[in-house]
Amino acid sequence: VHIVESGGGLVQAGGSLRLSCAASGFTFDDYAIGWFRQAPGKEREGVSCISRADGRRTYVDSVKGRFTISSDNAKSTVYLQMNSLKPEDTAIYYCAVRRNLCTDMDIEYEYWGQGTEVTVSS
């Protein structure tokens, strides 16, 4: 399984970024792709997830209304559109894949990318 994140960078507060997660090499049909983030000195937290089986999307409360997850199944790519970014969104963002449906428990994800860094300046 190969997972590659991209799209991170430095942006001013209020700005936008779009993260991409290209996932390939897994053969199971029902899967979920989640975005997690880890800020310095903090635990990793689930940000958003999309399930292929039912199209359900989930978001952590702190990003609702600002972030949107979407997928392009033909490209096996999931996107995280991040608008109205805040300094507290600064973190390394990881993409992860698990069988079946979404969960916000990182330990339940089997495959992980290397992460892409997002820095939001005030």
Side-chain angles (χ1 to χ4, degrees), residues 28-100:
F28 37 93
D29 293 331
D30 290 338
Y31 58 88
I33 296 182
W35 283 100
F36 291 80
R37 65 185 179 186
Q38 187 165 21
K42 295 187 177 181
E43 294 187 353
R44 188 162 56 189
E45 69 167 344
V47 176
S48 183
C49 181
I50 186 167
S51 297
R52 178 174 172 84
D54 59 5
R56 182 170 175 255
R57 295 164 169 81
T58 65
Y59 301 93
V60 68
D61 286 346
S62 60
V63 307
K64 286 181 180 177
R66 301 188 298 121
F67 291 11
T68 302
I69 192 169
S70 62
S71 66
D72 183 337
N73 292 330
K75 297 181 179 179
S76 298
T77 300
V78 168
Y79 304 98
L80 186 67
Q81 178 67 44
M82 307 188 297
N83 299 328
S84 302
L85 283 161
K86 303 175 180 180
E88 50 264 44
D89 295 317
T90 294
I92 297 176
Y93 284 70
Y94 298 91
C95 178
V97 178
R98 71 180 302 268
R99 300 172 192 262
N100 301 317

